[in-house]
Amino acid sequence: MPGYATTLGADPYTTYRQVDLVGRTAEADGAALVQLLYDELVRALRVTAWATEKRNYSLKSEKVTRATAILFALEAGLDFEAGGDVAHTLARLYGGARATIIDASIGQDPQPFRDVASNLEEIAAAWAQVRAAT
């Protein structure tokens, strides 16, 4: 078996998620990518809460890292000139979410991860409505 297949075959779920993600982003516009980031962020936070409950610290760490990276990506994509107050509000929200996630990452309570996920789901739903209206 070639070297690349060995790496991909080691974890079928991760391989599937990578291929799925590439497939969903290949033709996506900027708004669709933001929606995808929100979906992945909420998923990572839900898995983090589950991993916290199950004391799966490796998975918890992996998903905390993923969630914070996505929050940085969302913040980096903000256009403060065109976005005005909304962009500044989102930047504060993303920073607060990051701080909550990092603080919770050293504890054993899954609830902060669920709370941040719920808040971001509301924003993702609003984002989806705006996309549907345009």
Side-chain angles (χ1 to χ4, degrees):
M1 180 180 260
Y4 69 88
T6 304
T7 303
L8 293 176
D11 183 359
Y13 177 75
T14 301
T15 301
Y16 169 78
R17 297 279 302 137
Q18 290 171 344
V19 170
D20 179 53
L21 187 60
V22 169
R24 290 188 289 161
T25 58
E27 298 294 323
D29 61 6
L33 290 174
V34 170
Q35 187 69 51
L36 180 62
L37 286 173
Y38 275 120
D39 293 345
E40 291 295 316
L41 176 56
V42 169
R43 183 177 294 112
L45 290 168
R46 297 279 181 212
V47 172
T48 303
W50 179 88
T52 301
E53 287 177 337
K54 302 299 179 187
R55 298 185 186 275
N56 185 335
Y57 302 118
S58 174
L59 181 61
K60 178 183 176 182
S61 176
E62 176 187 327
K63 295 306 176 180
V64 163
T65 300
R66 182 160 180 78
T68 55
I70 292 170
L71 284 165
F72 276 119
L74 285 167
E75 189 172 0
L78 292 174
D79 183 345
F80 290 99
E81 289 182 26
D85 289 340
V86 172
H88 288 281
T89 300
L90 286 172
R92 285 190 302 276
L93 174 83
Y94 297 152
R98 265 194 323 272
T100 299
I101 292 165
I102 291 167
D103 288 345
S105 71
I106 60 172
Q108 300 302 319
D109 184 6
Q111 195 57 46
F113 302 114
R114 288 190 185 104
D115 292 343
V116 173
S118 294
N119 291 338
L120 292 167
E121 279 178 324
E122 290 179 29
I123 295 169
W127 180 260
Q129 287 178 344
V130 168
R131 284 187 58 221
T134 57

